[in-house]
Amino acid sequence: MTDSDSDSVSRFTDLYKNKSRKEEQQCERRRTLLEEQKLYRQSELDAGRPGLLELIEAEQSTDSDCSDAVHRRSRPKIWYSKLYRDKVQLSEWMYERPEDLDNWFMVPCPSGTRCLVVIRKGLAVAYDKEGRSITRFATGLGKRQRVTVLDCFLVKETRTFYAIDMLVYNEMDLVHCDCQFRFLWLRSKMEEDDLQKKFCTLKQASWQLQLLPAYDFKNPAQIVECLSRFPAFPDPATKLDGLLFYHKESNYIYGRTPLVTWLFPFMVPDVLGEEWRQSLNSRYLANVPEGYGHQGPRAYMDEFDAKLAKRRAKRSNNRLTGMDEDGEEYCSSSGGTGQELDGSYEDENWQQKELDEMRRLEMEG
């Protein structure tokens, strides 16, 4: 063996060890977080610290100022909210199959922009991960609908918000509830209160609300059903970006957490096990990126992250030098692809109708 060969083997061994440490660290962090959650819930209650709901109510005066700004312009400036900045729960890569896979949900996610939709007194405002408003509109929920916050993916092409989670519902704070309860509560309220139908009633400017299904690994037939379906969504304009995996006992954690993980569909057999390859629709495997088979999932994850970091740095620099006079710029996508969503308002007709409806509702209040 030559010195160069020896160096190559050494580098490969170091890489393998680093990967193993990363996986072990993720598994250990999960266990630690689950234990800390139990203690944190009680300590928060004992300390009487304000939750998300109290912070939202305290910010109402700021929203009033923003609402006035909306009325002064038919094409309003985008505003920022410190309250909703960095509040979206984000995922890590799933480096290896969890030992307690039965305690996880799998959720198919569309390509779009991750956002928080805040509904209050019949009005809805969507904020991206940076706390920047994407759009605002009047809903058909009426003024009796108290503060509600949904975690959604916005698919601009179909004007649809896909709800994946719920932080607050009718002034009930759910942030410190476990994932299994939040998912159940979201589904039940979508059905009982008919949120999907009442979300928006403006015919020429309608926004849709859809519920993303959660598939339970405790019932393997559900997972097979999800992986075998192509296309993943009824509307062909809505493309599958990837799969999110939620630990059932996880609270809603602001920012990145190992209790929520991410995979692209073609990675499922390599990470979760070959037994799922037969269930995965062959068209997902047909879209495997070039070089993935040679790299394997772990090297691909690192390369993907490096490219994404470079892309974000370039986009951040562009924002500093290329922001227009109205303060408008494109939004970042959430899922795992970094796909972008234009933040502009192209259709002034529907925008004006939304503003008129917002004025009417506020005057009634």
Side-chain angles (χ1 to χ4, degrees):
M1 179 181 293
T2 65
D3 290 342
S4 60
D5 290 338
S6 178
D7 290 342
S8 299
V9 171
S10 176
R11 286 195 295 270
F12 179 81
T13 303
D14 290 342
L15 178 63
Y16 178 82
K17 288 179 179 178
N18 288 335
K19 292 298 181 184
S20 298
R21 292 192 197 104
K22 184 177 289 188
E23 292 160 3
E24 290 173 0
Q25 290 170 1
Q26 187 180 54
C27 184
E28 183 59 34
R29 282 187 293 120
R30 284 189 195 126
R31 285 194 289 264
T32 301
L33 273 173
L34 289 172
E35 288 299 321
E36 288 178 348
Q37 279 183 176
K38 299 173 185 177
L39 300 174
Y40 183 77
R41 283 195 196 105
Q42 189 59 48
S43 65
E44 287 293 288
L45 291 173
D46 293 343
R49 294 190 183 94
L52 179 60
L53 178 60
E54 287 80 7
L55 294 174
I56 292 173
E57 292 173 341
E59 201 192 38
Q60 284 187 2
S61 59
T62 304
D63 285 351
S64 297
D65 296 338
C66 292
S67 180
D68 291 339
V70 170
H71 294 172
R72 289 194 296 269
R73 294 169 58 93
S74 60
R75 193 171 186 266
K77 289 185 177 180
I78 291 173
W79 68 80
Y80 291 81
S81 169
K82 291 182 180 178
L83 175 58
Y84 301 112
R85 181 182 177 88
D86 299 327
K87 287 295 191 295
V88 175
Q89 181 171 248
L90 302 176
S91 62
E92 296 184 359
W93 287 107
M94 179 179 279
Y95 293 113
E96 66 174 354
R97 175 184 175 128
E99 296 175 356
D100 58 344
L101 191 60
D102 286 352
N103 285 328
W104 291 74
F105 291 116
M106 181 174 72
V107 183
C109 300
S111 295
T113 298
R114 191 72 173 274
C115 60
L116 295 180
V117 178
V118 183
I119 305 170
R120 181 168 56 224
K121 296 182 179 179
L123 305 177
V125 182
Y127 296 93
D128 69 7
K129 294 180 293 185
E130 298 177 355
R132 187 177 79 98
S133 65
I134 300 173
T135 189
R136 46 221 163 263
F137 53 93
T139 73
L141 295 171
K143 300 184 76 65
R144 292 184 178 181
Q145 182 71 30
R146 293 173 291 175
V147 177
T148 294
V149 182
L150 302 175
D151 182 352
C152 299
F153 285 86
L154 170 58
V155 179
K156 182 184 178 185
E157 292 77 10
T158 61
R159 298 177 63 81
T160 302
F161 289 94
Y162 286 89
I164 191 172
D165 210 336
M166 178 179 280
L167 287 75
V168 179
Y169 186 76
N170 258 346
E171 297 187 353
M172 177 181 176
D173 198 327
L174 302 171
V175 171
H176 297 305
C177 298
D178 64 58
C179 174
Q180 189 159 15
F181 177 81
R182 297 196 314 273
F183 280 13
L184 176 63
W185 198 255
L186 173 60
R187 178 174 293 278
S188 65
K189 294 306 172 184
M190 287 281 288
E191 296 172 356
E192 293 172 8
D193 295 350
D194 205 6
L195 293 184
Q196 183 173 331
K197 183 177 180 181
K198 297 177 182 177
F199 189 63
C200 190
T201 57
L202 296 177
K203 293 182 179 179
Q204 297 184 19
S206 61
W207 293 94
Q208 300 180 60
L209 179 66
Q210 300 285 344
L211 177 66
L212 286 174
Y215 298 91
D216 193 340
F217 273 97
K218 199 170 185 177
N219 185 347
Q222 292 186 11
I223 307 301
V224 171
E225 177 191 352
C226 175
L227 294 177
S228 61
R229 185 184 298 118
F230 187 95
F233 304 100
D235 190 333
T238 302
K239 307 300 182 183
L240 179 67
D241 190 10
L243 303 167
L244 279 175
F245 301 85
Y246 285 78
H247 196 285
K248 296 177 183 177
E249 298 177 17
S250 172
N251 292 353
Y252 193 97
I253 299 171
Y254 303 142
R256 211 163 295 280
T257 170
L259 295 172
V260 180
T261 57
W262 171 273
L263 288 176
F264 290 117
F266 60 83
M267 304 169 79
V268 168
D270 296 321
V271 178
L272 293 185
E274 283 295 321
E275 64 268 27
W276 298 108
R277 187 176 298 276
Q278 187 175 355
S279 304
L280 188 63
N281 192 292
S282 59
R283 279 170 283 192
Y284 292 127
L285 294 173
N287 294 323
V288 176
E290 184 178 355
Y292 171 78
H294 175 71
Q295 290 177 304
R298 296 163 191 170
Y300 175 83
M301 292 172 186
D302 284 346
E303 182 180 326
F304 187 96
D305 286 343
K307 290 180 179 178
L308 187 59
K310 184 176 180 180
R311 184 174 175 180
R312 284 173 175 165
K314 182 178 179 180
R315 184 168 62 210
S316 178
N317 184 59
N318 289 341
R319 284 181 175 177
L320 292 174
T321 58
M323 186 180 292
D324 67 24
E325 62 180 4
D326 283 336
E328 293 190 3
E329 67 218 32
Y330 52 81
C331 300
S332 61
S333 141
S334 65
T337 62
Q339 185 179 0
E340 294 148 6
L341 174 69
D342 179 358
S344 62
Y345 299 90
E346 293 128 342
D347 189 343
E348 296 294 340
N349 291 328
W350 69 255
Q351 180 68 12
Q352 187 59 50
K353 287 181 173 63
E354 289 174 355
L355 293 172
D356 291 342
E357 184 67 9
M358 290 170 73
R359 293 188 188 100
R360 182 185 68 77
L361 287 172
E362 290 184 350
M363 289 177 67
E364 289 178 356

